[in-house]
Amino acid sequence: MAYTNTTPWLLVVTELLILVSITESKVPAIIVFGDSTVDAGNNNVVSTLLRSNFRPYGRDFAGGRPTGRFSNGRIPPDFISEAFGLKPAVPAYLDPAYDIADFATGVCFASAGTGYDNATSDVLNVIPLWKELEYYKEYQNKLRAHVGKAKANEILSEALYLMSLGTNDFLENYYILPKRQSQFTVKQYENFLIGLAGNFIRELYSLGVRKISLTGLPPMGCLPLERALNILDQNECVEKYNKVALEFNGKLNRLVKRLNKELPGLRLISADAYTILYQIIKRPSLFGFDAVGVACCSTGTFEMSYLCSELNPLTCSDANKYVFWDAFHPTEKTNHIIVNHLIDTLLAYFR
């Protein structure tokens, strides 16, 4: 733009501020690993029952489109991407509607139902964490071919990597199936998972990754499914599961401190989603919610994936009144509140 004496100064200042903001932004892409809390639709092309690429999922997403996100709308990586000045939705790597040009500013490798433990991904035949890593290596090569090696390496090292998983290791694996219970006490299993998490982060580091936000477990005893099963305690939260989540998160925090000391140049942060979600669950009206014990979809007690049916007359009409969308996953509104709680820390640490 050529400036003249008649150019409004407010416009000049505004354009300069935009340019400065773009220049100062040190996160060119958001790259995601994990489970259904952050899966943007990779399970759509996997032979699994754990999918959400049909209505009513996505009914509040742009265009009312079910994308494979386990919510009525957007999920945390989408809001984080937008907050960093990037696109408002991070696409799934396996979605054929997108290519490397789309993935250059953000990509999701997450798979609903997966965990740190490979045995967890076997339960519902989803993508194990090691395979998410293989897809990431493939992505690195595609990105280098697309923008050149130097530019790609800059993007890969400056990108913010989000990791969110662990709940399935306990609720779909350890507490349901006998194998891991016969091998580990719950505390030993926590330690086993921490070891796997550390190894995964070290592998990412060896591939040039330097900025990671690691999300621990939510108050998993308060998920509608667990409350529905807790009949003897009047469908209250299962405190045993919440205690395990807090224990595990404490161990994750200690892992973060160790790895930051161990790996030069690593900037690893622990994102505490437990506290804000627990506050929402305990005092929902403060956040504008009416329903917390049951979810919006169908009866709101046990349904998710294909059991979450658009045809069920019990599915709520306004998801903004509900903390949870289905028996396991938050609504878009809850996701947004959680990100708003975390985003100032992320922006301050990574920009």
Side-chain angles (χ1 to χ4, degrees):
M1 175 178 179
Y3 299 112
T4 69
N5 290 335
T6 58
T7 303
W9 278 107
L10 181 60
L11 177 59
V12 174
V13 171
T14 301
E15 289 200 350
L16 287 173
L17 287 173
I18 291 171
L19 286 171
V20 169
S21 175
I22 292 171
T23 303
E24 287 185 348
S25 179
K26 296 179 181 178
V27 173
I30 301 293
I31 299 176
V32 186
F33 297 97
D35 58 19
S36 59
T37 56
V38 291
D39 182 2
N42 286 306
N43 276 22
N44 297 355
V45 296
V46 177
S47 297
T48 178
L49 291 172
L50 198 57
R51 293 186 184 179
S52 58
N53 56 332
F54 47 85
R55 287 176 68 88
Y57 287 98
R59 72 181 194 189
D60 298 310
F61 195 80
R65 186 167 54 92
T67 60
R69 288 167 171 81
F70 279 79
S71 187
N72 59 304
R74 290 195 286 170
I75 53 178
D78 301 324
F79 292 114
I80 292 171
S81 175
E82 188 172 51
F84 274 92
L86 301 169
K87 55 198 170 195
V90 179
Y93 183 65
L94 299 181
D95 189 332
Y98 301 96
D99 60 22
I100 191 61
D102 302 297
F103 300 146
T105 54
V107 60
C108 172
F109 300 100
S111 174
T114 204
Y116 290 108
D117 186 352
N118 286 337
T120 301
S121 60
D122 292 340
V123 175
L124 288 166
N125 191 42
V126 299
I127 302 168
L129 194 56
W130 68 263
K131 185 64 176 178
E132 291 187 27
L133 192 65
E134 290 302 306
Y135 284 134
Y136 172 66
K137 292 176 183 176
E138 181 181 271
Y139 162 74
Q140 284 193 327
N141 291 331
K142 289 181 179 178
L143 188 64
R144 290 180 179 121
H146 179 63
V147 299
K149 185 175 180 180
K151 180 63 176 176
N153 288 345
E154 180 186 347
I155 292 170
L156 295 167
S157 64
E158 295 291 346
L160 173 57
Y161 294 77
L162 307 178
M163 289 177 58
S164 177
L165 67 166
T167 303
N168 298 316
D169 290 308
F170 292 97
L171 298 187
E172 287 185 15
N173 184 355
Y174 186 84
Y175 284 115
I176 299 295
L177 303 176
K179 182 179 178 182
R180 292 308 191 201
Q181 287 192 49
S182 69
Q183 295 173 313
F184 303 106
T185 66
V186 68
K187 291 185 188 300
Q188 289 171 337
Y189 190 59
E190 290 169 16
N191 295 338
F192 172 67
L193 296 179
I194 292 294
L196 296 174
N199 290 340
F200 183 79
I201 292 168
R202 289 185 187 94
E203 181 72 15
L204 286 178
Y205 179 84
S206 74
L207 294 169
V209 173
R210 292 297 181 269
K211 300 176 179 179
I212 306 173
S213 172
L214 176 62
T215 302
L217 301 181
M220 57 189 184
C222 294
L223 300 177
L225 176 62
E226 304 310 323
R227 292 176 77 143
L229 296 172
N230 194 21
I231 298 169
L232 295 179
D233 201 18
Q234 287 76 52
N235 302 116
E236 289 296 320
C237 296
V238 182
E239 289 307 324
K240 177 178 78 170
Y241 291 164
N242 286 349
K243 182 181 177 183
V244 167
L246 286 170
E247 281 179 354
F248 182 77
N249 290 347
K251 292 176 180 180
L252 268 186
N253 290 340
R254 291 191 286 276
L255 174 68
V256 166
K257 291 179 181 177
R258 285 200 307 273
L259 291 177
N260 278 324
K261 290 180 180 178
E262 174 188 325
L263 303 172
L266 178 67
R267 301 177 70 190
L268 173 62
I269 193 171
S270 179
D272 174 21
Y274 183 106
T275 301
I276 182 62
L277 184 53
Y278 193 72
Q279 288 173 356
I280 293 170
I281 289 165
K282 288 303 177 182
R283 305 186 73 180
S285 61
L286 287 182
F287 299 89
F289 293 108
D290 294 339
V292 65
V294 295
C296 170
C297 195
S298 298
T299 68
T301 54
F302 66 88
E303 297 93 346
M304 61 178 168
S305 191
Y306 287 105
L307 296 176
C308 178
S309 171
E310 186 176 30
L311 301 177
N312 193 309
L314 296 176
T315 296
C316 78
S317 58
D318 184 2
N320 286 334
K321 295 179 180 178
Y322 287 73
V323 175
F324 291 97
W325 166 249
D326 65 16
F328 222 74
H329 304 101
T331 56
E332 178 184 66
K333 178 179 174 180
T334 305
N335 285 331
H336 202 177
I337 292 171
I338 291 170
V339 170
N340 282 344
H341 177 75
L342 299 172
I343 197 63
D344 285 348
T345 300
L346 294 177
L347 288 170
Y349 195 68
F350 291 113
R351 283 187 77 170

